[in-house]
Amino acid sequence: MQTVFKTRLTSWRKQNLFLLQAELLRLCKLLQARGLSVTIQKFDPYINIDPGTLNPYEHGECFVTDDGAETDLDLGHYERFLNIKTSQANNVTTGRIYNTVIQNERKGEYLGKTVQVIPHITDEIKRNFLALANSGEYDIVITEIGGCVGDIESLPFIEALRQIRLDVGRENVLVIHLTLIPYLKKAGELKTKPTQHSVKLLLESGIQPHILVCRTEYPLSMDIRKKLALFCNVELNAVIESIDADSIYDVPLLMRKERLDDIVLWKFNMPNHEPNIEDWKHFLGKLKNPTTEVTIALVGKYVELPDAYKSIIESFVHSGAENECKVNIKWIKAETIGKKHTDELFAGVDGILVAPGFGERGIEGKIRACNYAREHKIPFFGICLGMQCAVIEFARNVLKMENAHSTEMNSETPFPVISIMESQKNISMKGGTMRLGAYDCDLKEGSVAHSIYKQDNISERHRHRYEFNSEYLERFEQAGMIASGINPKTNLVEMIEITDHPYFVACQFHPELKSTVANPHPLFVRFVKEAMKFRKNK
Ligand code: GLN
């Protein structure tokens, strides 16, 4: 218990439906920039055990951690901003909480007691609240509770928060309430009433927020701040204004005048000094002052929903800054390739990325995109399904294996060049059963992959069921598509490249899940470099 008292727990409250991450990330970054060890966890009150089974239209990308947890895409932001690794403990849902409690009940662990929301569910929530705090690794743990005040499914989380303040000592817990200050155009006025009401609702649950972070389109006047402080029972300097930033990466440097980080340290009675954000400034300098630009075609099936490819987009921000190059993304809906004239679709692009994905829709378009990149010698980057499509295209058009396919799309294909892994064959449950998380990969000496990583062995994150079918490997290699990365334990092909092409590299894993501001992913950095070269030589 000793560590709990040294560790601070901050609870973060969302009050509206917008993505309100900026303040949380800024707070975390600025605390980290003072040498504190900080992490963030997210509690989602929905009933799914994890977002792994959710359609990207529902929830955007599913972010996968090293330990194989399928998590909310917010965890990607946490990793990218803070350059930390998150795990299963950083993302918990109502489904997971209930699942554990019900399993415990079946094991007879509650000794005949009636199992109830209070104390059994709330105890399990508290155990998860404290899992990271108790690890002793962190000075501050920030816990984001998703949803809105007043949601029925959030109530046990709010109750657990109330209790935890008593368990670990009030001085160790700070509650930040994130709230929306709407602007009424006709009246030309900012309105504080919704905030007053949501704070009242929190008070009914026994929680007095310590800090209000006020999402607003216009600056908060002193009068509005005073009104909020008075009606919501917080100090005037604990009313924090939060206005939109152009880019989430600007956020740590913006609005330092609001001093959320200083107030948190002051309330925790922790020593304070100027944060060291030189590295961040350096990154922003490169991001904002590109010396050149490239256009990358991103071929996928959810192109109208960029959140489905969040980590890929962000990896281009990191690798673009690293190369001092602005990366423009041209979204290409896979189904349209082949219907429209392909030359027109790919006109002006300097690189083609075929994205990860599942299922039949758009698959032929993705395969055509691989074909176009291969034949036109355009830099190519295939990720997961993107690599599988490159393999299928090569089989059909170079090895002349007619109707070669992945058994995911065509179980009757005469040439199953991509097939289900042996270990996956008898699995019928969908949730959490893919090949998930970090696996090792040996890189072939002399390959492009090896020259990019400059390492013999790497570790990357996976999320898939199907694989390159190694029975065909020899024929591929003889024709010029080589396996440049192999799993040392299972011999699975994890990376391929085409030798007779300026740059054609693809991977079965998801490199985008490991790119951060501090460590842009080498595969993205090199791909952007190759696109720059291609553009220059056009
Ligand atoms: N659908 C493919 C598989 O399951 C690829 C998955 C992906 O792109 N993440 O193997």
Side-chain angles (χ1 to χ4, degrees), residues 295-485:
T295 299
I296 303 292
L298 199 153
V299 181
K301 89 176 170 182
Y302 303 106
V303 294
E304 65 285 25
L305 183 84
D307 261 5
Y309 304 107
K310 193 78 195 153
S311 294
I312 293 181
I313 299 170
E314 300 303 323
S315 299
F316 277 125
V317 174
H318 312 150
S319 53
E322 183 69 14
N323 284 300
E324 294 176 37
C325 171
K326 181 170 188 284
V327 179
N328 306 306
I329 294 183
K330 179 170 183 185
W331 297 94
I332 298 191
K333 202 169 173 66
E335 291 121 287
T336 59
I337 306 175
K339 291 189 185 121
K340 279 193 196 165
H341 203 281
T342 320
D343 282 328
E344 253 166 57
L345 271 180
F346 290 110
V349 312
D350 309 305
I352 296 177
L353 185 149
V354 177
F358 294 84
E360 171 84 62
R361 181 159 70 85
I363 193 77
E364 289 305 322
K366 289 184 175 179
I367 295 170
R368 270 191 208 108
C370 300
N371 176 262
Y372 195 84
R374 185 174 60 77
E375 290 187 343
H376 291 78
K377 307 262 186 227
I378 300 172
F380 174 84
F381 190 7
I383 300 181
C384 206
L385 182 63
M387 174 185 118
Q388 299 176 356
C389 290
V391 168
I392 296 165
E393 190 280 321
F394 197 86
R396 288 183 187 173
N397 300 316
V398 179
L399 297 172
K400 305 293 172 209
M401 296 176 178
E402 206 181 323
N403 292 326
H405 220 318
S406 160
T407 54
E408 179 182 3
M409 328 301 167
N410 176 5
S411 54
E412 304 297 317
T413 170
F415 299 103
V417 288
I418 303 293
S419 61
I420 192 137
M421 283 179 271
E422 206 44 50
S423 55
Q424 287 282 337
K425 279 190 178 149
N426 296 319
I427 293 176
S428 58
M429 298 284 269
K430 291 273 184 272
T433 57
M434 280 188 253
R435 184 176 182 224
L436 289 167
Y439 284 90
D440 283 346
C441 169
D442 285 346
L443 298 179
K444 197 179 208 159
E445 250 190 79
S447 64
V448 175
H450 195 277
S451 79
I452 293 170
Y453 281 95
K454 299 186 178 60
Q455 262 169 264
D456 296 335
N457 184 270
I458 56 167
S459 168
E460 292 281 4
R461 297 180 189 170
H462 292 247
R463 182 173 189 252
H464 57 107
R465 289 185 205 282
Y466 296 81
E467 281 287 349
F468 187 104
N469 183 345
S470 297
E471 281 175 29
Y472 294 94
L473 182 57
E474 217 180 297
R475 289 168 70 182
F476 274 84
E477 293 211 317
Q478 276 164 7
M481 179 179 270
I482 63 158
S484 47

Side-chain angles (χ1 to χ4, degrees), residues 84-102:
I84 55 167
K85 287 214 171 131
T86 57
S87 70
Q88 184 67 76
N90 295 73
N91 192 199
V92 176
T93 66
T94 292
R96 183 172 298 281
I97 299 286
Y98 271 80
N99 198 31
T100 309
V101 171
I102 289 167

